[in-house]
Coordinates of all heavy atoms in Angstrom, one line a residue:
L1 N 13.9 -2.5 17.7 CA 15.1 -3.6 17.6 C 16.1 -3.1 18.6 O 16.9 -4.1 18.9 CB 15.6 -3.6 16.1 CG 14.6 -4.1 15.1 CD1 15.3 -4.0 13.7 CD2 14.3 -5.5 15.3
R2 N 16.2 -1.9 19.0 CA 17.3 -1.6 19.9 C 17.1 -2.4 21.2 O 18.3 -2.6 21.9 CB 17.2 -0.1 20.2 CG 17.8 0.7 19.1 CD 17.8 2.1 19.4 NE 16.5 2.6 18.6 CZ 15.7 3.6 19.0 NH1 15.9 4.2 20.2 NH2 14.6 3.9 18.4
W3 N 16.1 -2.8 21.7 CA 15.9 -3.4 23.0 C 16.7 -4.8 22.9 O 17.1 -5.2 24.0 CB 14.4 -3.7 23.4 CG 13.8 -4.7 22.4 CD1 13.2 -4.5 21.2 CD2 13.6 -6.1 22.6 NE1 12.7 -5.7 20.8 CE2 13.1 -6.7 21.5 CE3 14.3 -6.9 23.6 CZ2 12.9 -8.1 21.4 CZ3 14.2 -8.4 23.4 CH2 13.4 -8.9 22.4
M4 N 16.9 -5.4 21.8 CA 17.6 -6.6 21.8 C 19.1 -6.5 22.2 O 19.7 -7.5 22.7 CB 17.6 -7.2 20.3 CG 16.3 -7.7 19.8 SD 16.4 -8.5 18.3 CE 14.8 -8.5 17.6
Q5 N 19.6 -5.3 22.1 CA 21.0 -5.2 22.6 C 21.2 -5.3 24.0 O 22.2 -5.6 24.5 CB 21.5 -3.7 22.1 CG 21.5 -3.6 20.6 CD 21.7 -2.1 20.3 OE1 21.9 -1.2 21.1 NE2 21.9 -1.9 18.9
G6 N 20.2 -5.1 24.8 CA 20.3 -5.2 26.3 C 19.8 -6.5 26.9 O 19.9 -6.7 28.0
V7 N 19.3 -7.5 26.0 CA 18.9 -8.7 26.4 C 19.9 -9.6 26.9 O 21.0 -9.8 26.2 CB 18.0 -9.4 25.4 CG1 17.5 -10.8 25.9 CG2 16.9 -8.5 25.0
C8 N 19.8 -10.3 28.0 CA 20.7 -11.2 28.5 C 20.2 -12.6 28.3 O 19.1 -12.9 28.5 CB 21.1 -11.0 30.0 SG 21.9 -9.5 30.3
G9 N 20.9 -13.5 27.9 CA 20.6 -14.9 27.6 C 20.1 -15.2 26.2 O 20.1 -14.4 25.3
S10 N 19.7 -16.4 26.0 CA 19.2 -16.8 24.6 C 17.9 -17.6 24.8 O 17.6 -18.0 25.9 CB 20.3 -17.6 24.0 OG 20.6 -18.8 24.7
F11 N 17.2 -17.8 23.7 CA 15.8 -18.3 23.7 C 15.6 -19.4 22.7 O 16.4 -19.5 21.7 CB 15.0 -17.2 23.4 CG 15.0 -16.0 24.3 CD1 15.9 -14.9 24.0 CD2 14.4 -15.9 25.4 CE1 16.1 -13.9 24.8 CE2 14.5 -14.9 26.3 CZ 15.3 -13.9 26.0
D12 N 14.8 -20.3 23.0 CA 14.4 -21.4 22.0 C 13.4 -20.9 20.9 O 13.3 -21.4 20.0 CB 13.7 -22.6 22.8 CG 14.6 -23.3 23.8 OD1 15.8 -23.4 23.4 OD2 14.3 -23.5 24.9
L13 N 12.7 -19.9 21.4 CA 11.6 -19.3 20.4 C 11.6 -17.8 20.6 O 11.5 -17.2 21.7 CB 10.2 -19.9 20.7 CG 9.1 -19.5 19.9 CD1 9.2 -20.0 18.4 CD2 7.9 -19.9 20.6
I14 N 11.6 -17.1 19.5 CA 11.4 -15.9 19.4 C 10.4 -15.4 18.4 O 10.4 -15.8 17.3 CB 12.7 -14.9 18.9 CG1 14.0 -15.3 19.9 CG2 12.6 -13.5 18.7 CD1 15.2 -14.7 19.6
L15 N 9.3 -14.6 18.9 CA 8.2 -14.2 18.0 C 8.5 -12.7 17.7 O 8.7 -11.8 18.4 CB 7.0 -14.2 18.7 CG 6.6 -15.5 19.4 CD1 5.3 -15.6 20.2 CD2 6.5 -16.6 18.3
A16 N 8.5 -12.4 16.3 CA 8.6 -11.0 15.8 C 7.5 -10.6 14.9 O 7.1 -11.3 14.0 CB 10.0 -11.1 15.0
D17 N 7.0 -9.4 15.3 CA 5.8 -9.0 14.6 C 6.0 -7.4 14.4 O 5.3 -6.7 14.9 CB 4.5 -9.2 15.4 CG 3.3 -8.7 14.6 OD1 3.4 -8.4 13.4 OD2 2.2 -8.6 15.2
P18 N 7.0 -7.1 13.5 CA 7.4 -5.7 13.4 C 6.3 -5.1 12.5 O 5.4 -5.6 11.9 CB 8.6 -5.7 12.7 CG 8.8 -7.0 11.9 CD 8.0 -7.9 12.9
P19 N 6.3 -3.6 12.6 CA 5.3 -3.0 11.6 C 5.5 -3.4 10.2 O 6.6 -3.5 9.7 CB 5.8 -1.4 11.8 CG 6.3 -1.4 13.1 CD 7.1 -2.7 13.3
Y20 N 4.4 -3.7 9.5 CA 4.5 -4.2 8.1 C 5.2 -3.2 7.2 O 5.8 -3.7 6.3 CB 3.1 -4.6 7.6 CG 2.5 -5.8 8.1 CD1 1.2 -6.0 7.8 CD2 3.1 -6.6 9.0 CE1 0.5 -7.2 8.4 CE2 2.6 -7.8 9.6 CZ 1.3 -8.0 9.2 OH 0.8 -9.2 9.6
D21 N 5.1 -2.0 7.4 CA 5.8 -1.0 6.5 C 7.2 -0.6 6.9 O 7.8 0.3 6.3 CB 4.9 0.2 6.4 CG 3.4 -0.1 5.8 OD1 3.5 -0.9 4.9 OD2 2.4 0.5 6.1
M22 N 7.7 -1.3 7.9 CA 9.1 -1.0 8.3 C 10.1 -1.5 7.3 O 10.1 -2.6 7.0 CB 9.3 -1.6 9.7 CG 10.7 -1.4 10.2 SD 10.8 -2.0 11.8 CE 12.5 -2.1 12.2
P23 N 10.8 -0.6 6.6 CA 11.7 -1.0 5.6 C 12.9 -2.0 6.2 O 13.4 -1.7 7.2 CB 12.2 0.2 5.0 CG 11.8 1.3 5.7 CD 10.9 0.8 6.8
H24 N 13.1 -3.0 5.5 CA 14.3 -3.9 5.8 C 14.1 -4.6 7.2 O 15.1 -4.9 7.9 CB 15.6 -3.3 5.7 CG 15.7 -2.5 4.4 ND1 16.0 -3.2 3.2 CD2 15.8 -1.2 4.1 CE1 16.1 -2.2 2.3 NE2 16.0 -1.1 2.8
A25 N 12.8 -4.7 7.6 CA 12.5 -5.2 9.0 C 13.1 -6.6 9.3 O 13.7 -7.0 10.2 CB 11.1 -5.2 9.3
L26 N 12.9 -7.5 8.2 CA 13.4 -8.9 8.3 C 14.9 -9.0 8.4 O 15.5 -9.6 9.4 CB 13.0 -9.8 7.1 CG 13.4 -11.1 7.2 CD1 12.9 -12.0 8.4 CD2 12.9 -11.8 5.9
E27 N 15.6 -8.2 7.7 CA 17.1 -8.1 7.6 C 17.5 -7.7 9.0 O 18.4 -8.2 9.6 CB 17.6 -7.4 6.5 CG 17.4 -8.0 5.1 CD 16.0 -7.5 4.6 OE1 15.2 -6.8 5.2 OE2 15.7 -8.0 3.4
Q28 N 17.0 -6.6 9.5 CA 17.3 -5.9 10.7 C 17.1 -6.8 11.9 O 18.0 -7.0 12.7 CB 16.7 -4.7 10.8 CG 17.1 -3.6 10.0 CD 16.2 -2.3 10.2 OE1 15.4 -2.1 10.9 NE2 16.6 -1.3 9.2
T29 N 16.0 -7.6 11.8 CA 15.6 -8.6 13.0 C 16.5 -9.7 13.0 O 17.1 -9.9 14.1 CB 14.2 -9.0 12.7 OG1 13.3 -7.9 12.8 CG2 13.8 -9.9 14.0
V30 N 16.8 -10.3 11.9 CA 17.7 -11.6 12.0 C 19.2 -11.2 12.3 O 19.9 -11.8 13.0 CB 17.5 -12.4 10.7 CG1 16.2 -12.9 10.5 CG2 18.1 -11.7 9.5
S31 N 19.5 -10.0 11.8 CA 20.8 -9.4 12.1 C 21.0 -9.1 13.7 O 22.0 -9.5 14.2 CB 21.1 -8.1 11.3 OG 22.3 -7.6 11.6
A32 N 19.9 -8.6 14.2 CA 20.0 -8.3 15.7 C 20.1 -9.5 16.4 O 20.8 -9.7 17.5 CB 18.9 -7.3 16.1
V33 N 19.1 -10.5 16.0 CA 19.1 -11.7 16.7 C 20.5 -12.5 16.7 O 21.0 -13.0 17.7 CB 18.0 -12.7 16.2 CG1 18.1 -14.2 16.7 CG2 16.6 -12.1 16.4
A34 N 21.1 -12.5 15.5 CA 22.3 -13.1 15.4 C 23.6 -12.4 16.1 O 24.4 -13.1 16.8 CB 22.7 -13.3 13.9
A35 N 23.6 -11.2 15.9 CA 24.6 -10.4 16.6 C 24.5 -10.5 18.1 O 25.6 -10.3 18.7 CB 24.3 -8.8 16.1
N36 N 23.4 -10.5 18.7 CA 23.2 -10.6 20.2 C 23.2 -12.0 20.7 O 22.9 -12.2 21.9 CB 22.2 -9.8 20.5 CG 22.4 -8.4 20.3 OD1 23.2 -7.7 21.0 ND2 21.7 -7.8 19.2
S37 N 23.3 -13.0 19.8 CA 23.2 -14.4 20.1 C 22.1 -14.8 20.9 O 22.1 -15.4 22.0 CB 24.5 -14.9 21.0 OG 25.7 -14.6 20.2
L38 N 20.9 -14.2 20.4 CA 19.6 -14.4 21.1 C 18.9 -15.8 21.0 O 18.0 -16.1 21.7 CB 18.6 -13.3 20.8 CG 19.1 -11.8 21.1 CD1 18.2 -11.0 20.6 CD2 19.4 -11.7 22.6
L39 N 19.2 -16.5 19.8 CA 18.6 -17.7 19.6 C 19.5 -18.9 19.9 O 20.7 -19.0 19.5 CB 18.2 -17.8 18.2 CG 17.1 -18.7 17.6 CD1 15.9 -18.4 18.3 CD2 16.9 -18.6 16.1
R40 N 19.0 -19.7 20.7 CA 19.8 -21.0 21.0 C 20.0 -21.8 19.8 O 19.1 -21.7 19.0 CB 19.1 -21.8 22.2 CG 19.2 -21.1 23.5 CD 18.7 -22.1 24.5 NE 18.6 -21.3 25.9 CZ 17.8 -21.3 26.7 NH1 16.7 -22.1 26.5 NH2 17.8 -20.7 27.8
E41 N 20.9 -22.8 19.8 CA 21.1 -23.6 18.7 C 19.8 -24.4 18.6 O 19.4 -25.1 19.6 CB 22.3 -24.6 19.0 CG 22.6 -25.4 17.8 CD 24.0 -26.1 17.7 OE1 24.9 -25.6 18.4 OE2 24.2 -27.1 17.0
G42 N 19.2 -24.5 17.4 CA 18.1 -25.3 17.2 C 16.9 -24.5 17.5 O 15.6 -25.0 17.3
G43 N 16.9 -23.3 17.9 CA 15.8 -22.4 18.3 C 15.1 -21.9 17.0 O 15.7 -22.0 16.0
K44 N 14.0 -21.3 17.1 CA 13.2 -20.9 16.1 C 12.8 -19.3 16.1 O 12.5 -18.9 17.2 CB 11.9 -21.7 15.9 CG 12.3 -23.1 15.4 CD 11.1 -23.9 15.3 CE 11.5 -25.3 14.9 NZ 10.4 -26.3 15.0
L45 N 12.9 -18.6 15.0 CA 12.4 -17.3 15.0 C 11.1 -17.4 14.1 O 11.1 -17.8 12.9 CB 13.4 -16.4 14.3 CG 12.9 -14.9 14.0 CD1 12.6 -14.2 15.2 CD2 14.0 -14.4 13.2
V46 N 10.1 -16.9 14.7 CA 8.8 -16.9 14.0 C 8.5 -15.3 13.7 O 8.4 -14.6 14.6 CB 7.5 -17.4 14.9 CG1 6.2 -17.3 14.1 CG2 7.9 -18.8 15.2
Y47 N 8.3 -15.2 12.3 CA 8.4 -13.7 11.9 C 7.1 -13.5 11.1 O 6.7 -14.3 10.1 CB 9.6 -13.5 10.9 CG 9.8 -12.1 10.5 CD1 10.5 -11.2 11.3 CD2 9.1 -11.6 9.4 CE1 10.7 -9.9 10.9 CE2 9.4 -10.3 9.0 CZ 10.1 -9.4 9.8 OH 10.1 -8.1 9.3
E48 N 6.4 -12.5 11.4 CA 5.1 -12.1 10.7 C 5.3 -10.9 9.8 O 5.9 -9.9 10.1 CB 4.0 -11.8 11.7 CG 2.7 -11.6 11.2 CD 1.6 -11.3 12.3 OE1 1.6 -12.0 13.2 OE2 0.8 -10.4 12.1
L49 N 4.7 -11.1 8.7 CA 4.8 -9.9 7.6 C 3.6 -10.0 6.7 O 2.8 -10.8 6.8 CB 6.0 -10.1 6.8 CG 6.2 -11.2 5.8 CD1 7.1 -10.9 4.7 CD2 6.7 -12.4 6.6
R50 N 3.4 -8.9 5.8 CA 2.4 -8.9 4.9 C 2.4 -10.0 4.0 O 3.6 -10.2 3.4 CB 2.3 -7.5 4.3 CG 1.2 -7.3 3.4 CD 1.2 -5.8 2.6 NE 0.8 -4.9 3.7 CZ 1.4 -3.9 4.1 NH1 2.6 -3.7 3.7 NH2 0.9 -3.1 5.1
A51 N 1.4 -10.7 3.6 CA 1.5 -11.8 2.7 C 2.0 -11.5 1.4 O 2.7 -12.3 0.7 CB 0.1 -12.6 2.6
S52 N 1.7 -10.2 0.9 CA 2.1 -9.8 -0.5 C 3.5 -9.3 -0.5 O 4.0 -9.0 -1.7 CB 1.1 -8.7 -1.1 OG 1.2 -7.7 -0.1
Q53 N 4.1 -9.2 0.5 CA 5.5 -8.6 0.7 C 6.5 -9.6 0.2 O 6.6 -10.8 0.6 CB 5.8 -8.2 2.2 CG 7.3 -7.6 2.3 CD 7.4 -7.1 3.8 OE1 6.4 -7.0 4.6 NE2 8.6 -6.9 4.1
P54 N 7.4 -9.2 -0.8 CA 8.4 -10.2 -1.3 C 9.4 -10.5 -0.2 O 9.7 -9.4 0.6 CB 9.1 -9.4 -2.4 CG 8.7 -8.0 -2.3 CD 7.3 -8.0 -1.4
V55 N 9.9 -11.7 -0.1 CA 10.8 -12.0 1.0 C 12.2 -12.4 0.4 O 12.3 -13.2 -0.6 CB 10.2 -13.3 1.7 CG1 11.2 -13.7 2.7 CG2 9.0 -12.8 2.4
D56 N 13.3 -11.8 0.9 CA 14.6 -12.1 0.6 C 15.2 -12.6 1.8 O 15.5 -11.9 2.7 CB 15.4 -10.9 0.0 CG 16.8 -11.3 -0.5 OD1 16.9 -12.5 -0.8 OD2 17.5 -10.4 -0.6
I57 N 15.3 -14.0 1.9 CA 15.9 -14.6 3.2 C 17.3 -14.2 3.3 O 18.2 -14.5 2.5 CB 15.7 -16.2 3.3 CG1 14.2 -16.4 3.1 CG2 16.1 -16.6 4.5 CD1 13.2 -15.6 4.0
P58 N 17.8 -13.6 4.5 CA 19.2 -13.2 4.6 C 20.1 -14.5 4.7 O 19.6 -15.5 5.2 CB 19.1 -12.5 6.1 CG 17.8 -12.0 6.1 CD 16.9 -13.1 5.5
A59 N 21.3 -14.3 4.4 CA 22.3 -15.4 4.4 C 22.3 -15.9 5.8 O 22.4 -15.2 6.8 CB 23.6 -15.0 3.9
G60 N 22.5 -17.2 6.0 CA 22.7 -17.8 7.3 C 21.3 -18.3 8.0 O 21.4 -18.8 9.0
W61 N 20.4 -18.1 7.1 CA 18.9 -18.4 7.7 C 18.2 -19.3 6.8 O 18.4 -19.2 5.5 CB 18.1 -17.2 8.0 CG 18.7 -16.4 9.1 CD1 19.6 -15.4 9.1 CD2 18.3 -16.4 10.4 NE1 19.9 -14.8 10.3 CE2 19.1 -15.5 11.2 CE3 17.4 -17.1 11.1 CZ2 19.0 -15.4 12.6 CZ3 17.3 -17.0 12.5 CH2 18.1 -16.1 13.2
I62 N 17.4 -20.3 7.4 CA 16.6 -21.1 6.5 C 15.0 -21.0 6.9 O 14.8 -21.0 8.1 CB 17.1 -22.6 6.7 CG1 18.6 -22.7 6.3 CG2 16.2 -23.6 6.0 CD1 19.2 -24.0 6.7
V63 N 14.3 -20.9 6.0 CA 12.8 -21.0 6.3 C 12.3 -22.5 6.3 O 12.6 -23.2 5.3 CB 12.0 -20.4 5.1 CG1 10.5 -20.4 5.4 CG2 12.3 -18.8 5.0
V64 N 11.9 -22.9 7.5 CA 11.5 -24.2 7.7 C 10.0 -24.4 7.7 O 9.4 -25.4 7.5 CB 12.0 -24.8 9.1 CG1 13.5 -24.9 9.2 CG2 11.4 -24.0 10.2
R65 N 9.3 -23.3 7.6 CA 7.8 -23.3 7.5 C 7.4 -22.0 7.0 O 7.8 -20.8 7.5 CB 7.2 -23.6 8.8 CG 5.7 -23.7 8.7 CD 5.1 -24.5 10.0 NE 3.7 -24.8 9.8 CZ 2.7 -24.2 10.3 NH1 2.8 -23.1 11.0 NH2 1.5 -24.6 10.1
E66 N 6.3 -21.9 6.0 CA 5.8 -20.7 5.7 C 4.3 -20.9 5.5 O 3.9 -21.9 5.0 CB 6.4 -20.3 4.2 CG 5.7 -19.0 3.7 CD 6.4 -18.6 2.4 OE1 7.6 -18.8 2.3 OE2 5.6 -18.0 1.6
K67 N 3.5 -20.0 6.2 CA 2.1 -20.2 6.1 C 1.4 -18.9 6.0 O 1.8 -17.8 6.5 CB 1.6 -20.8 7.6 CG 0.1 -21.1 7.6 CD -0.1 -22.4 6.9 CE -1.7 -22.8 7.2 NZ -2.2 -23.6 6.4
K68 N 0.4 -18.8 5.1 CA -0.4 -17.6 5.0 C -1.8 -17.6 5.7 O -2.4 -18.7 5.7 CB -0.7 -17.5 3.4 CG 0.5 -17.0 2.7 CD 0.1 -16.7 1.2 CE 1.4 -16.3 0.4 NZ 1.2 -16.2 -1.0
Y69 N -2.2 -16.5 6.3 CA -3.4 -16.4 6.9 C -4.0 -15.2 6.5 O -3.7 -14.0 6.9 CB -3.1 -16.3 8.4 CG -2.5 -17.6 9.1 CD1 -1.1 -17.5 9.2 CD2 -3.3 -18.7 9.4 CE1 -0.5 -18.6 9.9 CE2 -2.7 -19.7 10.0 CZ -1.2 -19.7 10.2 OH -0.7 -20.8 10.8
G70 N -4.8 -15.2 5.4 CA -5.4 -14.1 4.9 C -4.4 -13.2 4.2 O -3.6 -13.6 3.3
K71 N -4.3 -12.0 4.7 CA -3.3 -11.0 4.3 C -2.0 -11.0 5.0 O -1.0 -10.1 4.9 CB -3.9 -9.6 4.4 CG -5.1 -9.4 3.4 CD -5.6 -8.0 3.5 CE -6.8 -7.8 2.6 NZ -7.4 -6.4 2.6
T72 N -1.8 -12.0 5.9 CA -0.6 -12.1 6.7 C 0.2 -13.5 6.3 O -0.4 -14.4 6.0 CB -1.0 -12.1 8.2 OG1 -1.6 -11.0 8.6 CG2 0.2 -12.4 9.1
K73 N 1.5 -13.3 6.4 CA 2.3 -14.5 6.2 C 3.2 -14.6 7.4 O 3.6 -13.7 7.9 CB 3.3 -14.3 4.9 CG 4.2 -15.4 4.6 CD 5.1 -15.1 3.5 CE 4.6 -14.4 2.3 NZ 5.6 -14.2 1.3
V74 N 3.3 -15.8 7.7 CA 4.2 -16.2 9.0 C 5.3 -17.1 8.5 O 5.0 -18.3 8.0 CB 3.3 -16.8 10.2 CG1 4.3 -17.3 11.3 CG2 2.3 -16.0 10.6
L75 N 6.5 -16.7 8.8 CA 7.7 -17.6 8.4 C 8.3 -18.0 9.8 O 8.5 -17.4 10.7 CB 8.7 -16.7 7.7 CG 8.3 -15.8 6.5 CD1 9.6 -15.1 6.1 CD2 8.0 -17.0 5.4
T76 N 8.7 -19.3 9.7 CA 9.5 -20.0 10.7 C 10.8 -20.1 10.2 O 11.1 -20.8 9.4 CB 8.9 -21.3 11.3 OG1 7.6 -21.0 11.7 CG2 9.7 -21.9 12.5
L77 N 11.8 -19.4 10.8 CA 13.3 -19.5 10.4 C 14.2 -20.1 11.4 O 13.9 -20.0 12.6 CB 13.7 -18.1 10.1 CG 13.0 -17.4 9.0 CD1 12.1 -16.1 9.8 CD2 13.9 -16.8 8.1
V78 N 15.2 -20.8 11.1 CA 16.2 -21.3 11.9 C 17.6 -20.8 11.2 O 17.7 -20.5 10.1 CB 16.2 -22.8 12.1 CG1 15.0 -23.2 12.7 CG2 16.4 -23.4 10.7
Q79 N 18.5 -20.7 12.2 CA 19.9 -20.3 11.8 C 20.6 -21.6 11.2 O 20.4 -22.6 11.7 CB 20.7 -19.8 12.8 CG 20.3 -18.3 13.2 CD 21.2 -17.7 14.3 OE1 21.2 -18.2 15.5 NE2 22.0 -16.8 13.9
E80 N 21.3 -21.5 10.1 CA 22.1 -22.5 9.6 C 23.1 -22.9 10.6 O 23.5 -22.1 11.5 CB 22.9 -22.1 8.3 CG 21.9 -21.9 7.1 CD 22.7 -21.5 5.9 OE1 23.9 -21.1 6.0 OE2 22.1 -21.5 4.8
K81 N 23.5 -24.2 10.6 CA 24.5 -24.6 11.6 C 25.7 -23.8 11.6 O 26.2 -23.5 10.6 CB 24.9 -26.2 11.3 CG 23.6 -27.1 11.4 CD 23.3 -27.3 12.7 CE 22.1 -28.4 12.7 NZ 21.5 -28.6 14.0
R82 N 26.1 -23.5 12.9 CA 27.3 -22.6 12.9 C 28.6 -23.3 12.9 O 28.7 -24.5 13.2 CB 27.2 -21.9 14.3 CG 26.0 -21.0 14.4 CD 25.8 -20.5 15.8 NE 24.4 -20.5 16.0 CZ 23.9 -19.9 17.2 NH1 24.6 -19.6 18.2 NH2 22.5 -19.8 17.2

């Protein structure tokens, strides 16, 4: 996640596939994306995690799509309007 601190610009789409056993990975990812303004308005964050993993969506984010593929879950998130 440290690499996000040095990124210049913002994106329409960000794909995130952190290690499944990384504690608090979703919270850390969305926090880094928001803190570094990496997602353009209307952009999407596609996040992969273990299907059985409970999900607590951080404040300021909305799940617009959730899909399971075997043991994997893919969430598509957008930031709430600023």
Side-chain angles (χ1 to χ4, degrees):
L1 296 173
R2 282 178 264 143
W3 70 268
M4 290 187 198
Q5 296 172 358
V7 174
C8 295
S10 57
F11 304 91
D12 294 317
L13 179 66
I14 297 174
L15 305 174
D17 182 14
Y20 285 177
D21 295 327
M22 184 175 156
H24 310 291
L26 177 60
E27 295 85 356
Q28 292 175 2
T29 300
V30 298
S31 177
V33 168
N36 294 290
S37 301
L38 297 179
L39 200 58
R40 290 186 182 139
E41 189 167 334
K44 295 178 180 171
L45 169 63
V46 178
Y47 187 89
E48 185 176 319
L49 66 157
R50 182 177 286 120
S52 62
Q53 184 175 341
V55 178
D56 186 23
I57 304 304
W61 292 85
I62 301 168
V63 175
V64 295
R65 185 168 192 253
E66 181 176 327
K67 185 75 176 163
K68 288 185 182 178
Y69 300 95
K71 295 180 180 181
T72 298
K73 185 186 315 184
V74 177
L75 303 175
T76 302
L77 302 108
V78 296
Q79 286 182 290
E80 291 181 345
K81 298 288 182 186
R82 301 170 211 181

